[in-house]
Amino acid sequence: MSPRIENSIKQISPISWEFGSSMIVEKTNLMPSDAQGSWAADASGFFVLRPALFYSPELSPQPPAGPHLQQIHQAGTSSSVWRLGAAIIKVRSWVHGMEIESDTIDILKEKSSVPVPTVICAWPDIDYDRSFVILKPIAGRTLSQAWPLLLNDQRRAVAKTVAGMCAELAKILSIQIETPKGSGVLEPLLHRKAPFDHPSWKPHLLGPLLASQLERFLRSFGNIAYSEHIEWYEPFRFMHGNLGPTNIMVDGSGNVTCIVNWEGAGYYPRFWVGTKPRVSSVYLLDPEISPARTEWRDLLSQALSELGFSEDLNKYAQWQRALGVKT
């Protein structure tokens, strides 16, 4: 990937930045006619997103410069996050045909009551193999940050609330493993490891796969005895895919205010709703937050089980063996 994901945003003047290959963001007090999105600056004025094609910095208004842009997260070679004024900018690797998180958020606003972020603007940068999603900041703190301040009853209440959201989402059905708009899903735990020559930044998508295609996919690895134990033909259920404590926002009273980071969302086998929390490390608490790292995972698993989404580690083991993964 060139430029590297952490170099997706480049400052070109005291008050303007290149966003990938095609867009410019500038701090201004005037709204240009070609603006495609805007949000508040820290003190005065606002930031404007506009096409880079005809941008000329010397012709733009020049408010006082300041340390506006702040990188707040980096995830390997495939994802980076910045804050710029009253906006969060998420950049992640992208390939043709891959769904953008904003598409999922838009569909969820129509089909569910689960609280999701508000999108300011989003686009795929085809030349740079990445997507940009600009979001409004979310009030509160992550469950991970709030965990030491919550009472046990509040923690259990959060788990029940999130499990209820999972049950609501699982009522949205599909005939295949896919994203809401029909792309492949990002779920490495259900996919075979990418080939050795597959670039580390490049998404390795599973699907889309109808039940019959999924059966052939797993049988193609030659472990037919294991693949026969997997249920193929029930409807696939929609799920977030990563409800670890850093993706759940809560207020000061422990009420869930938003679920963030929907990149891995999609339609999956029903058993995965209750099983993933048991097999994925993203559901563990940071050891600096709590020595009982499994506490959130255990509470969520219990709440999901009470709603009919029990873990099925045997089915997951059969899936892994069908892929040829030693368990």
Side-chain angles (χ1 to χ4, degrees):
M1 171 179 279
S2 180
R4 293 165 62 95
I5 198 76
E6 63 269 27
N7 297 327
S8 298
I9 299 177
K10 175 185 175 183
Q11 188 158 9
I12 55 177
S13 84
I15 50 84
S16 59
W17 297 263
E18 285 182 345
F19 276 42
S21 66
S22 62
M23 304 298 287
I24 292 288
V25 168
E26 63 173 328
K27 187 174 185 288
T28 181
N29 293 317
L30 301 174
M31 182 67 70
S33 60
D34 59 351
Q36 296 192 4
S38 65
W39 60 93
D42 296 320
S44 62
F46 43 88
F47 293 102
V48 172
L49 177 76
R50 57 193 301 200
L53 186 59
F54 301 113
Y55 178 72
S56 179
E58 65 275 11
L59 299 179
S60 301
Q62 298 288 312
H68 306 292
L69 187 68
Q70 177 189 7
Q71 188 178 30
I72 58 177
H73 181 69
Q74 174 83 31
T77 60
S78 62
S79 177
S80 197
V81 183
W82 290 264
R83 181 186 292 273
L84 181 62
I88 301 298
I89 298 98
K90 299 178 64 177
V91 184
R92 68 174 296 119
S93 56
W94 177 89
V95 293
H96 182 71
M98 182 177 170
E99 190 156 320
I100 300 177
E101 181 187 12
S102 57
D103 294 331
T104 300
I105 290 173
D106 289 342
I107 290 172
L108 285 171
K109 286 183 175 180
E110 298 176 4
K111 293 189 174 183
S112 84
S113 63
V114 175
V116 295
T118 298
V119 178
I120 297 172
C121 195
W123 69 97
D125 190 321
I126 298 173
D127 292 337
Y128 281 4
D129 299 311
R130 66 202 69 194
S131 63
F132 287 77
V133 179
I134 304 177
L135 305 168
K136 290 185 177 180
I138 300 161
R141 62 184 74 190
T142 67
L143 178 60
S144 180
Q145 294 168 331
W147 194 260
L149 307 175
L150 298 178
L151 302 175
N152 288 334
D153 286 346
Q154 291 175 309
R155 295 171 178 176
R156 284 191 288 270
V158 173
K160 288 182 178 294
T161 297
V162 173
M165 292 177 180
C166 291
E168 178 187 347
L169 293 175
K171 293 178 181 178
I172 308 173
L173 307 177
S174 175
I175 61 172
Q176 61 182 1
I177 291 179
E178 62 178 347
T179 63
K181 284 196 169 182
S183 301
V185 296
L186 282 168
E187 183 45 274
L189 294 179
L190 294 179
H191 203 353
R192 205 168 198 188
K193 186 178 292 187
F196 179 77
D197 59 352
H198 190 88
S200 62
W201 65 266
K202 193 172 185 178
H204 185 45
L205 303 179
L206 174 64
L209 292 169
L210 294 165
S212 58
Q213 294 171 323
L214 174 61
E215 181 178 10
R216 289 196 296 271
F217 169 73
L218 289 179
R219 286 175 177 267
S220 69
F221 300 108
N223 302 300
I224 297 176
Y226 297 115
S227 65
E228 289 176 346
H229 292 274
I230 300 170
E231 299 174 10
W232 307 108
Y233 296 104
E234 63 179 0
F236 298 106
R237 311 299 178 106
F238 190 81
M239 60 183 288
H240 177 279
N242 181 0
L243 287 171
T246 60
N247 288 337
I248 301 163
M249 303 296 295
V250 298
D251 62 19
S253 300
N255 301 306
V256 178
T257 59
C258 193
I259 304 297
V260 302
N261 295 330
W262 291 86
E263 291 90 349
Y267 297 93
Y268 295 94
R270 190 182 192 281
F271 84 89
W272 198 231
V273 178
T275 303
K276 184 166 184 182
R278 284 295 181 187
V279 299
S280 173
S281 62
V282 301
Y283 290 80
L284 300 177
L285 291 161
D286 189 309
E288 295 184 3
I289 298 293
S290 172
R293 297 194 64 197
T294 66
E295 192 171 8
W296 165 245
R297 182 196 72 183
D298 296 342
L299 289 173
L300 180 59
S301 292
Q302 179 181 346
L304 285 169
S305 180
E306 291 171 358
L307 294 176
F309 295 96
S310 300
E311 64 194 65
D312 193 334
L313 297 179
N314 180 62
K315 190 168 291 186
Y316 176 60
Q318 298 287 0
W319 187 295
Q320 290 287 285
R321 290 174 184 143
L323 289 176
V325 178
K326 294 182 180 180
T327 58

